[in-house]
PDB file of all heavy atoms in Angstrom:
ATOM      1  N   LEU P   5       5.248   3.527   8.605  1.00  0.00           N
ATOM      2  CA  LEU P   5       4.924   3.798   9.998  1.00  0.00           C
ATOM      3  C   LEU P   5       5.741   4.983  10.481  1.00  0.00           C
ATOM      4  O   LEU P   5       6.890   5.157  10.095  1.00  0.00           O
ATOM      5  CB  LEU P   5       5.214   2.580  10.863  1.00  0.00           C
ATOM      6  CG  LEU P   5       4.381   1.336  10.572  1.00  0.00           C
ATOM      7  CD1 LEU P   5       4.822   0.195  11.485  1.00  0.00           C
ATOM      8  CD2 LEU P   5       2.908   1.622  10.764  1.00  0.00           C
ATOM      9  N   ALA P   6       5.133   5.781  11.326  1.00  0.00           N
ATOM     10  CA  ALA P   6       5.816   6.936  11.907  1.00  0.00           C
ATOM     11  C   ALA P   6       5.952   6.726  13.407  1.00  0.00           C
ATOM     12  O   ALA P   6       5.167   6.004  14.015  1.00  0.00           O
ATOM     13  CB  ALA P   6       5.014   8.209  11.629  1.00  0.00           C
ATOM     14  N   GLN P   7       6.933   7.345  13.978  1.00  0.00           N
ATOM     15  CA  GLN P   7       7.059   7.340  15.425  1.00  0.00           C
ATOM     16  C   GLN P   7       5.879   8.108  16.004  1.00  0.00           C
ATOM     17  O   GLN P   7       5.449   9.117  15.441  1.00  0.00           O
ATOM     18  CB  GLN P   7       8.367   8.012  15.854  1.00  0.00           C
ATOM     19  CG  GLN P   7       9.608   7.246  15.462  1.00  0.00           C
ATOM     20  CD  GLN P   7       9.695   5.917  16.185  1.00  0.00           C
ATOM     21  OE1 GLN P   7       9.392   5.804  17.374  1.00  0.00           O
ATOM     22  NE2 GLN P   7      10.107   4.890  15.468  1.00  0.00           N
ATOM     23  N   ALA P   8       5.347   7.645  17.116  1.00  0.00           N
ATOM     24  CA  ALA P   8       4.196   8.309  17.722  1.00  0.00           C
ATOM     25  C   ALA P   8       4.487   9.775  18.009  1.00  0.00           C
ATOM     26  O   ALA P   8       3.620  10.633  17.864  1.00  0.00           O
ATOM     27  CB  ALA P   8       3.787   7.582  18.997  1.00  0.00           C
ATOM     28  N   SER P   9       5.713  10.085  18.367  1.00  0.00           N
ATOM     29  CA  SER P   9       6.070  11.471  18.677  1.00  0.00           C
ATOM     30  C   SER P   9       6.024  12.373  17.449  1.00  0.00           C
ATOM     31  O   SER P   9       5.952  13.595  17.580  1.00  0.00           O
ATOM     32  CB  SER P   9       7.463  11.518  19.306  1.00  0.00           C
ATOM     33  OG  SER P   9       8.420  10.986  18.408  1.00  0.00           O
ATOM     34  N   ALA P  10       6.040  11.783  16.256  1.00  0.00           N
ATOM     35  CA  ALA P  10       6.012  12.569  15.023  1.00  0.00           C
ATOM     36  C   ALA P  10       4.590  12.821  14.516  1.00  0.00           C
ATOM     37  O   ALA P  10       4.397  13.584  13.582  1.00  0.00           O
ATOM     38  CB  ALA P  10       6.817  11.856  13.935  1.00  0.00           C
ATOM     39  N   VAL P  11       3.618  12.194  15.130  1.00  0.00           N
ATOM     40  CA  VAL P  11       2.224  12.327  14.694  1.00  0.00           C
ATOM     41  C   VAL P  11       1.609  13.562  15.364  1.00  0.00           C
ATOM     42  O   VAL P  11       1.734  13.730  16.570  1.00  0.00           O
ATOM     43  CB  VAL P  11       1.413  11.061  15.056  1.00  0.00           C
ATOM     44  CG1 VAL P  11      -0.047  11.216  14.697  1.00  0.00           C
ATOM     45  CG2 VAL P  11       2.015   9.846  14.365  1.00  0.00           C
ATOM     46  N   PRO P  12       0.957  14.432  14.581  1.00  0.00           N
ATOM     47  CA  PRO P  12       0.319  15.598  15.203  1.00  0.00           C
ATOM     48  C   PRO P  12      -0.858  15.162  16.080  1.00  0.00           C
ATOM     49  O   PRO P  12      -1.368  14.047  15.920  1.00  0.00           O
ATOM     50  CB  PRO P  12      -0.163  16.427  14.012  1.00  0.00           C
ATOM     51  CG  PRO P  12      -0.276  15.463  12.888  1.00  0.00           C
ATOM     52  CD  PRO P  12       0.746  14.388  13.146  1.00  0.00           C
ATOM     53  N   PRO P  13      -1.303  16.010  16.993  1.00  0.00           N
ATOM     54  CA  PRO P  13      -2.442  15.658  17.852  1.00  0.00           C
ATOM     55  C   PRO P  13      -3.662  15.262  17.017  1.00  0.00           C
ATOM     56  O   PRO P  13      -3.917  15.826  15.955  1.00  0.00           O
ATOM     57  CB  PRO P  13      -2.704  16.938  18.642  1.00  0.00           C
ATOM     58  CG  PRO P  13      -1.400  17.653  18.639  1.00  0.00           C
ATOM     59  CD  PRO P  13      -0.773  17.332  17.304  1.00  0.00           C
ATOM     60  N   VAL P  14      -4.405  14.281  17.516  1.00  0.00           N
ATOM     61  CA  VAL P  14      -5.559  13.744  16.789  1.00  0.00           C
ATOM     62  C   VAL P  14      -6.855  14.034  17.547  1.00  0.00           C
ATOM     63  O   VAL P  14      -6.837  14.335  18.734  1.00  0.00           O
ATOM     64  CB  VAL P  14      -5.403  12.223  16.567  1.00  0.00           C
ATOM     65  CG1 VAL P  14      -4.196  11.927  15.693  1.00  0.00           C
ATOM     66  CG2 VAL P  14      -5.275  11.479  17.889  1.00  0.00           C
ATOM     67  N   ASP P  15      -7.975  13.938  16.846  1.00  0.00           N
ATOM     68  CA  ASP P  15      -9.285  14.186  17.447  1.00  0.00           C
ATOM     69  C   ASP P  15      -9.838  12.971  18.168  1.00  0.00           C
ATOM     70  O   ASP P  15     -10.667  13.091  19.062  1.00  0.00           O
ATOM     71  CB  ASP P  15     -10.284  14.633  16.389  1.00  0.00           C
ATOM     72  CG  ASP P  15      -9.924  15.990  15.808  1.00  0.00           C
ATOM     73  OD1 ASP P  15      -9.431  16.853  16.572  1.00  0.00           O
ATOM     74  OD2 ASP P  15     -10.125  16.195  14.602  1.00  0.00           O
ATOM     75  N   ALA P  16      -9.392  11.779  17.762  1.00  0.00           N
ATOM     76  CA  ALA P  16      -9.889  10.539  18.362  1.00  0.00           C
ATOM     77  C   ALA P  16      -8.815   9.471  18.241  1.00  0.00           C
ATOM     78  O   ALA P  16      -7.969   9.521  17.359  1.00  0.00           O
ATOM     79  CB  ALA P  16     -11.153  10.071  17.652  1.00  0.00           C
ATOM     80  N   ILE P  17      -8.889   8.507  19.150  1.00  0.00           N
ATOM     81  CA  ILE P  17      -8.009   7.341  19.088  1.00  0.00           C
ATOM     82  C   ILE P  17      -8.908   6.118  18.968  1.00  0.00           C
ATOM     83  O   ILE P  17      -9.865   5.967  19.724  1.00  0.00           O
ATOM     84  CB  ILE P  17      -7.123   7.224  20.339  1.00  0.00           C
ATOM     85  CG1 ILE P  17      -6.207   8.438  20.464  1.00  0.00           C
ATOM     86  CG2 ILE P  17      -6.311   5.941  20.287  1.00  0.00           C
ATOM     87  CD1 ILE P  17      -5.379   8.456  21.729  1.00  0.00           C
ATOM     88  N   VAL P  18      -8.590   5.259  18.004  1.00  0.00           N
ATOM     89  CA  VAL P  18      -9.363   4.039  17.779  1.00  0.00           C
ATOM     90  C   VAL P  18      -8.487   2.832  18.107  1.00  0.00           C
ATOM     91  O   VAL P  18      -7.413   2.663  17.528  1.00  0.00           O
ATOM     92  CB  VAL P  18      -9.849   3.943  16.318  1.00  0.00           C
ATOM     93  CG1 VAL P  18     -10.608   2.651  16.088  1.00  0.00           C
ATOM     94  CG2 VAL P  18     -10.695   5.154  15.958  1.00  0.00           C
ATOM     95  N   PHE P  19      -8.952   2.021  19.047  1.00  0.00           N
ATOM     96  CA  PHE P  19      -8.277   0.777  19.385  1.00  0.00           C
ATOM     97  C   PHE P  19      -9.083  -0.355  18.754  1.00  0.00           C
ATOM     98  O   PHE P  19     -10.168  -0.682  19.222  1.00  0.00           O
ATOM     99  CB  PHE P  19      -8.205   0.585  20.903  1.00  0.00           C
ATOM    100  CG  PHE P  19      -7.366   1.616  21.596  1.00  0.00           C
ATOM    101  CD1 PHE P  19      -7.955   2.690  22.228  1.00  0.00           C
ATOM    102  CD2 PHE P  19      -5.986   1.510  21.600  1.00  0.00           C
ATOM    103  CE1 PHE P  19      -7.187   3.650  22.868  1.00  0.00           C
ATOM    104  CE2 PHE P  19      -5.200   2.463  22.239  1.00  0.00           C
ATOM    105  CZ  PHE P  19      -5.805   3.534  22.875  1.00  0.00           C
ATOM    106  N   ALA P  20      -8.542  -0.933  17.672  1.00  0.00           N
ATOM    107  CA  ALA P  20      -9.245  -2.004  16.977  1.00  0.00           C
ATOM    108  C   ALA P  20      -8.586  -3.365  17.215  1.00  0.00           C
ATOM    109  O   ALA P  20      -9.211  -4.394  17.000  1.00  0.00           O
ATOM    110  CB  ALA P  20      -9.302  -1.706  15.482  1.00  0.00           C
ATOM    111  N   VAL P  21      -7.333  -3.350  17.640  1.00  0.00           N
ATOM    112  CA  VAL P  21      -6.581  -4.579  17.889  1.00  0.00           C
ATOM    113  C   VAL P  21      -5.865  -4.407  19.224  1.00  0.00           C
ATOM    114  O   VAL P  21      -5.178  -3.418  19.437  1.00  0.00           O
ATOM    115  CB  VAL P  21      -5.552  -4.825  16.763  1.00  0.00           C
ATOM    116  CG1 VAL P  21      -4.758  -6.092  17.017  1.00  0.00           C
ATOM    117  CG2 VAL P  21      -6.242  -4.884  15.410  1.00  0.00           C
ATOM    118  N   PRO P  22      -6.010  -5.373  20.131  1.00  0.00           N
ATOM    119  CA  PRO P  22      -5.419  -5.218  21.469  1.00  0.00           C
ATOM    120  C   PRO P  22      -3.945  -5.650  21.552  1.00  0.00           C
ATOM    121  O   PRO P  22      -3.583  -6.540  22.316  1.00  0.00           O
ATOM    122  CB  PRO P  22      -6.305  -6.108  22.332  1.00  0.00           C
ATOM    123  CG  PRO P  22      -6.685  -7.223  21.416  1.00  0.00           C
ATOM    124  CD  PRO P  22      -6.851  -6.573  20.057  1.00  0.00           C
ATOM    125  N   HIS P  23      -3.099  -5.026  20.755  1.00  0.00           N
ATOM    126  CA  HIS P  23      -1.679  -5.356  20.807  1.00  0.00           C
ATOM    127  C   HIS P  23      -1.139  -5.099  22.214  1.00  0.00           C
ATOM    128  O   HIS P  23      -1.534  -4.142  22.880  1.00  0.00           O
ATOM    129  CB  HIS P  23      -0.886  -4.515  19.815  1.00  0.00           C
ATOM    130  CG  HIS P  23      -1.188  -4.818  18.386  1.00  0.00           C
ATOM    131  ND1 HIS P  23      -0.938  -6.044  17.813  1.00  0.00           N
ATOM    132  CD2 HIS P  23      -1.717  -4.047  17.412  1.00  0.00           C
ATOM    133  CE1 HIS P  23      -1.293  -6.011  16.546  1.00  0.00           C
ATOM    134  NE2 HIS P  23      -1.781  -4.813  16.276  1.00  0.00           N
ATOM    135  N   LYS P  24      -0.215  -5.923  22.642  1.00  0.00           N
ATOM    136  CA  LYS P  24       0.374  -5.777  23.973  1.00  0.00           C
ATOM    137  C   LYS P  24       0.974  -4.382  24.165  1.00  0.00           C
ATOM    138  O   LYS P  24       0.830  -3.777  25.225  1.00  0.00           O
ATOM    139  CB  LYS P  24       1.434  -6.850  24.208  1.00  0.00           C
ATOM    140  CG  LYS P  24       2.045  -6.796  25.596  1.00  0.00           C
ATOM    141  CD  LYS P  24       3.071  -7.879  25.797  1.00  0.00           C
ATOM    142  CE  LYS P  24       3.743  -7.889  27.140  1.00  0.00           C
ATOM    143  NZ  LYS P  24       3.824  -6.722  27.914  1.00  0.00           N
ATOM    144  N   ALA P  25       1.622  -3.864  23.148  1.00  0.00           N
ATOM    145  CA  ALA P  25       2.243  -2.536  23.252  1.00  0.00           C
ATOM    146  C   ALA P  25       1.194  -1.460  23.535  1.00  0.00           C
ATOM    147  O   ALA P  25       1.478  -0.479  24.228  1.00  0.00           O
ATOM    148  CB  ALA P  25       2.995  -2.207  21.970  1.00  0.00           C
ATOM    149  N   TYR P  26      -0.020  -1.635  23.003  1.00  0.00           N
ATOM    150  CA  TYR P  26      -1.099  -0.675  23.268  1.00  0.00           C
ATOM    151  C   TYR P  26      -1.610  -0.837  24.691  1.00  0.00           C
ATOM    152  O   TYR P  26      -1.870   0.133  25.386  1.00  0.00           O
ATOM    153  CB  TYR P  26      -2.277  -0.874  22.316  1.00  0.00           C
ATOM    154  CG  TYR P  26      -1.977  -0.685  20.852  1.00  0.00           C
ATOM    155  CD1 TYR P  26      -2.846  -1.172  19.893  1.00  0.00           C
ATOM    156  CD2 TYR P  26      -0.836  -0.029  20.402  1.00  0.00           C
ATOM    157  CE1 TYR P  26      -2.607  -1.007  18.546  1.00  0.00           C
ATOM    158  CE2 TYR P  26      -0.586   0.136  19.055  1.00  0.00           C
ATOM    159  CZ  TYR P  26      -1.474  -0.352  18.132  1.00  0.00           C
ATOM    160  OH  TYR P  26      -1.243  -0.194  16.809  1.00  0.00           O
ATOM    161  N   LYS P  27      -1.780  -2.069  25.105  1.00  0.00           N
ATOM    162  CA  LYS P  27      -2.324  -2.337  26.440  1.00  0.00           C
ATOM    163  C   LYS P  27      -1.351  -1.960  27.548  1.00  0.00           C
ATOM    164  O   LYS P  27      -1.770  -1.677  28.662  1.00  0.00           O
ATOM    165  CB  LYS P  27      -2.722  -3.809  26.573  1.00  0.00           C
ATOM    166  CG  LYS P  27      -3.885  -4.193  25.680  1.00  0.00           C
ATOM    167  CD  LYS P  27      -4.480  -5.530  26.013  1.00  0.00           C
ATOM    168  CE  LYS P  27      -3.578  -6.688  25.755  1.00  0.00           C
ATOM    169  NZ  LYS P  27      -4.221  -7.993  25.915  1.00  0.00           N
ATOM    170  N   ASP P  28      -0.057  -1.975  27.229  1.00  0.00           N
ATOM    171  CA  ASP P  28       0.948  -1.632  28.235  1.00  0.00           C
ATOM    172  C   ASP P  28       0.919  -0.149  28.615  1.00  0.00           C
ATOM    173  O   ASP P  28       1.434   0.221  29.659  1.00  0.00           O
ATOM    174  CB  ASP P  28       2.349  -2.007  27.753  1.00  0.00           C
ATOM    175  CG  ASP P  28       2.603  -3.510  27.814  1.00  0.00           C
ATOM    176  OD1 ASP P  28       1.794  -4.232  28.442  1.00  0.00           O
ATOM    177  OD2 ASP P  28       3.601  -3.954  27.225  1.00  0.00           O
ATOM    178  N   LEU P  29       0.332   0.686  27.766  1.00  0.00           N
ATOM    179  CA  LEU P  29       0.209   2.112  28.077  1.00  0.00           C
ATOM    180  C   LEU P  29      -1.134   2.380  28.741  1.00  0.00           C
ATOM    181  O   LEU P  29      -2.150   1.818  28.347  1.00  0.00           O
ATOM    182  CB  LEU P  29       0.310   2.955  26.802  1.00  0.00           C
ATOM    183  CG  LEU P  29       1.673   3.010  26.140  1.00  0.00           C
ATOM    184  CD1 LEU P  29       1.579   3.778  24.827  1.00  0.00           C
ATOM    185  CD2 LEU P  29       2.692   3.674  27.054  1.00  0.00           C
ATOM    186  N   SER P  30      -1.128   3.232  29.710  1.00  0.00           N
ATOM    187  CA  SER P  30      -2.380   3.614  30.369  1.00  0.00           C
ATOM    188  C   SER P  30      -3.189   4.532  29.459  1.00  0.00           C
ATOM    189  O   SER P  30      -2.640   5.144  28.532  1.00  0.00           O
ATOM    190  CB  SER P  30      -2.087   4.335  31.682  1.00  0.00           C
ATOM    191  OG  SER P  30      -1.490   5.595  31.407  1.00  0.00           O
ATOM    192  N   LEU P  31      -4.457   4.624  29.741  1.00  0.00           N
ATOM    193  CA  LEU P  31      -5.305   5.537  28.979  1.00  0.00           C
ATOM    194  C   LEU P  31      -4.815   6.971  29.152  1.00  0.00           C
ATOM    195  O   LEU P  31      -4.857   7.778  28.224  1.00  0.00           O
ATOM    196  CB  LEU P  31      -6.761   5.395  29.419  1.00  0.00           C
ATOM    197  CG  LEU P  31      -7.808   6.060  28.541  1.00  0.00           C
ATOM    198  CD1 LEU P  31      -7.673   5.660  27.086  1.00  0.00           C
ATOM    199  CD2 LEU P  31      -9.203   5.718  29.044  1.00  0.00           C
ATOM    200  N   GLU P  32      -4.318   7.282  30.317  1.00  0.00           N
ATOM    201  CA  GLU P  32      -3.765   8.620  30.560  1.00  0.00           C
ATOM    202  C   GLU P  32      -2.565   8.888  29.645  1.00  0.00           C
ATOM    203  O   GLU P  32      -2.394   9.996  29.138  1.00  0.00           O
ATOM    204  CB  GLU P  32      -3.365   8.764  32.024  1.00  0.00           C
ATOM    205  CG  GLU P  32      -2.976  10.171  32.404  1.00  0.00           C
ATOM    206  CD  GLU P  32      -2.826  10.347  33.897  1.00  0.00           C
ATOM    207  OE1 GLU P  32      -2.845   9.362  34.648  1.00  0.00           O
ATOM    208  OE2 GLU P  32      -2.689  11.505  34.311  1.00  0.00           O
ATOM    209  N   SER P  33      -1.763   7.871  29.394  1.00  0.00           N
ATOM    210  CA  SER P  33      -0.630   8.020  28.474  1.00  0.00           C
ATOM    211  C   SER P  33      -1.104   8.271  27.049  1.00  0.00           C
ATOM    212  O   SER P  33      -0.516   9.070  26.321  1.00  0.00           O
ATOM    213  CB  SER P  33       0.249   6.768  28.499  1.00  0.00           C
ATOM    214  OG  SER P  33       0.846   6.604  29.754  1.00  0.00           O
TER     215      SER P  33
END
Side-chain angles (χ1 to χ4, degrees):
L5 296 178
Q7 293 294 319
S9 60
V11 176
V14 297
D15 294 323
I17 298 175
V18 178
F19 295 100
V21 180
H23 293 297
K24 183 179 179 336
Y26 299 163
K27 294 193 293 188
D28 285 348
L29 290 175
S30 68
L31 192 52
E32 188 170 9
S33 295

